[in-house]
Amino acid sequence: MTNVINPITALAFVKDPSGTVRFLLAGEGPHLKVFQESNGRLIALKRAFEAQAIHGIIAIAALDDYDPDLHGVTEILVWGGRCLRLGLLRYGPGAGPLQVEIELKEELKVDDWILSGCFNNPEVREPVEPHLSCSPKHDAVVLTAHNVAYGICQDKNQQSMVKRIVAGPDSMLYSAYIDWPGSGRWLVASGTAFGDILLWSFPESEVKADSVSPFSSQLHHRFTGHEGSIFGVSISPDLMKQGFGDIRRLLASSSDDRTIRLWDISDLEASEVFPGPRSQHFENSTPLVDKGHTSTSSTDCVAMTMGHASRIWDVRFLITDRGTAVLSFGEDSTTQAWGLTRNQSHLDHLRSDVPHLSHKHTYAYHSGKSIWANAVVQQPNGAQAVCTGGADGRIVQYNLHDEHQSAAGIVSTSQWTMQDIAVQLDESQKSLGDNVAVSVPRPEKTLCERVFDALVGTWSIEREIK
């Protein structure tokens, strides 16, 4: 039987209501895998789609009366291509052998490729009976490649349904990020194939199953400046305590041009209003511009840096009590950590409170090409855990320390060159002396012949990752 290594295309950490990270969810081909976070052990597996790879996973703890020794329930949303499924992850007990069950609702489809998703009001946890089969309690929103938002909710019979709710500015997207800011409106960052970034919003109430009122989206900013397609976008939390003056929120973007750029999105007053949903055939529409507001077009970014050898697929913010950082994930199979600080320049024309990106560390734990999936979580002790999945089929987890200089918890197998193996085996043979069942390779043999000669018998080779 041939073992096939599938790329890891989606990752998500699962926290319990106490804030403790319990599981890591991974999408490998059409299969949803659940790993125990503490030891990397695979504890559950379920096929999510019949003929579609998983491209995204989001999760939210769902119990107010959580007891770690009895049970836990997490709501999940899984998507890939045009397909999506809501579901529940049930686990318990905590004291004995861990049992995990994955329940997925019926498969739903939208009209276009799904790029991003978010649960409605994720800070509010709805109680879910842990021992009964029931539906997820949270509504969710997904955004597709033509900048159209769909709502996933429950009808009166507790059946999942998908509803096309609103369209943003007409464009073709390569990336998207949906945020629930708690202000009654969904905030969306859309990275286009043409190098623009669109920041727009729409009302939260439109997600409900019984909502039939006309709806519209508002474009707040159109950022230009990248010289390639936008492959990753991310919206920061509130930065009020980070010391950046009037800058309250930032948008990070990564591109085909190998740059990472930060944009100030503190001001959402400027807007263009887009009426009603576009047809599902995506024909062009003309926006109704609110003449009472200023232009939404902007070419200004507050910080820019370059650090990858090739395209940058995604970017993430990390906000802690110690400061703010940005992580970038590239086609070169590396994760780059950037510190976000105030500008330390003494030049008069540069504001001291403007953000500045400085490189901190490079994490290179994947082989081959591309990091396709990532997940970032803050532990209750303040440690930042980062997990990446690559085209090499590896899942790697490590902690970001204050100096961003070391890593731990590698969940993968080590790799060696042929020279490494030959040297290791030669040293083992010399230490064992006459008890070795394999003769020492002749010098005239090739390196490959030496390795295979030495592998006769049973060997155990270990190598520590430092």
Side-chain angles (χ1 to χ4, degrees):
M1 179 177 179
T2 303
N3 292 323
V4 179
I5 298 178
N6 293 312
I8 306 300
T9 51
L11 291 169
F13 283 109
V14 173
K15 283 185 173 183
D16 60 35
S18 70
T20 302
V21 181
R22 297 295 300 273
F23 308 108
L24 176 70
L25 305 182
E28 182 177 347
H31 297 100
L32 177 62
K33 295 184 174 182
V34 183
F35 295 90
Q36 193 165 351
E37 194 275 338
S38 59
N39 56 22
R41 184 171 62 92
L42 178 65
I43 54 179
L45 170 68
K46 191 176 186 69
R47 191 182 187 100
F49 304 114
E50 191 61 34
Q52 172 62 55
I54 296 172
H55 294 149
I57 308 168
I58 55 175
I60 178 175
L63 278 180
D64 286 327
D65 56 347
Y66 167 77
D67 184 342
D69 292 328
L70 295 178
H71 56 252
V73 178
T74 293
E75 295 184 47
I76 58 175
L77 173 64
V78 182
W79 69 85
R82 299 190 303 116
C83 308
L84 59 90
R85 297 183 75 174
L86 283 168
L88 297 174
L89 183 69
R90 303 177 185 274
Y91 51 94
L98 191 60
Q99 298 177 357
V100 175
E101 181 182 359
I102 305 172
E103 295 181 13
L104 294 177
K105 301 286 287 184
E106 64 274 16
E107 182 178 316
L108 303 173
K109 288 189 176 181
V110 296
D111 297 326
D112 200 3
W113 194 276
I114 300 171
L115 297 179
S116 182
C118 183
F119 279 113
N120 185 12
N121 204 359
E123 298 301 321
V124 177
R125 299 189 180 97
E126 298 289 342
V128 175
E129 175 57 48
H131 305 297
L132 298 178
S133 178
C134 56
S135 299
K137 299 297 184 181
H138 282 81
D139 299 327
V141 169
V142 296
L143 193 77
T144 61
H146 281 82
N147 221 15
V148 177
Y150 289 80
I152 302 97
C153 48
Q154 309 293 317
D155 61 18
K156 295 180 179 179
N157 298 320
Q158 295 299 305
Q159 296 297 312
S160 297
M161 61 172 289
V162 62
K163 171 189 174 185
R164 191 172 187 272
I165 53 177
V166 69
D170 199 5
S171 187
M172 185 170 67
L173 310 184
Y174 276 1
S175 60
Y177 185 94
I178 306 178
D179 184 51
W180 168 257
S183 61
R185 296 185 69 86
W186 295 88
L187 189 61
V188 182
S190 303
T192 74
F194 311 107
D196 296 343
I197 303 158
L198 310 173
L199 185 72
W200 58 285
S201 65
F202 62 93
E204 177 269 336
S205 60
E206 307 302 345
V207 183
K208 303 301 182 184
D210 56 356
S211 174
V212 294
S213 60
F215 40 84
S216 62
S217 60
Q218 288 184 286
L219 175 65
H220 303 289
H221 293 284
R222 184 190 301 270
F223 295 115
T224 59
H226 277 290
E227 297 178 357
S229 302
I230 310 300
F231 292 126
V233 286
S234 182
I235 298 174
S236 78
D238 195 324
L239 300 174
M240 182 177 63
K241 298 180 180 179
Q242 301 299 317
F244 296 120
D246 295 334
I247 297 178
R248 294 289 299 272
R249 300 194 80 183
L250 291 170
L251 187 153
S253 58
S254 59
S255 170
D256 196 14
D257 62 9
R258 298 188 296 143
T259 66
I260 301 163
R261 300 180 186 233
L262 300 183
W263 315 84
D264 183 6
I265 58 171
S266 305
D267 181 14
L268 299 180
E269 291 301 319
S271 65
E272 298 176 10
V273 180
F274 290 78
R278 296 193 303 269
S279 164
Q280 63 181 5
H281 299 294
F282 313 119
E283 62 262 346
N284 293 330
S285 59
T286 302
L288 295 179
V289 180
D290 187 345
K291 301 296 184 180
H293 292 94
T294 59
S295 172
T296 60
S297 179
S298 175
T299 58
D300 297 327
C301 70
V302 297
M304 180 184 71
T305 191
M306 178 181 290
H308 286 266
S310 53
R311 292 173 290 186
I312 307 174
W313 295 135
D314 202 4
V315 63
R316 289 284 193 109
F317 281 100
L318 281 179
I319 310 295
T320 69
D321 295 337
R322 304 181 185 94
T324 305
V326 174
L327 296 178
S328 56
F329 309 89
E331 186 181 24
D332 58 5
S333 292
T334 69
T335 300
Q336 308 284 350
W338 308 88
L340 186 59
T341 58
R342 290 183 297 175
N343 194 344
Q344 300 299 316
S345 173
H346 297 290
L347 299 178
D348 293 338
H349 68 281
L350 294 178
R351 289 173 49 192
S352 62
D353 57 356
V354 172
H356 173 71
L357 284 170
S358 59
H359 186 261
K360 294 298 183 182
H361 196 71
T362 298
Y363 300 94
Y365 299 118
H366 291 274
S367 61
K369 184 178 179 181
S370 290
I371 293 177
W372 289 127
N374 65 82
V376 180
V377 70
Q378 182 172 353
Q379 301 275 18
N381 61 2
Q384 297 287 338
V386 179
C387 193
T388 54
D392 57 1
R394 283 181 169 185
I395 299 174
V396 181
Q397 182 178 329
Y398 50 93
N399 290 330
L400 293 181
H401 298 281
D402 292 346
E403 296 80 12
H404 300 278
Q405 290 181 347
S406 59
I410 309 300
V411 186
S412 67
T413 57
S414 302
Q415 291 188 346
W416 305 274
T417 64
M418 297 293 282
Q419 182 66 43
D420 289 336
I421 296 176
V423 171
Q424 180 78 22
L425 291 173
D426 282 348
E427 293 177 352
S428 299
Q429 290 174 349
K430 291 176 183 178
S431 64
L432 291 174
D434 297 335
N435 294 327
V436 178
V438 183
S439 59
V440 177
R442 297 188 304 273
E444 63 271 21
K445 287 192 174 183
T446 66
L447 180 59
C448 288
E449 289 174 329
R450 292 171 58 202
V451 170
F452 284 109
D453 284 348
L455 287 176
V456 175
T458 301
W459 295 85
S460 177
I461 305 174
E462 296 182 355
R463 181 181 182 185
E464 182 181 359
I465 298 179
K466 298 181 178 179

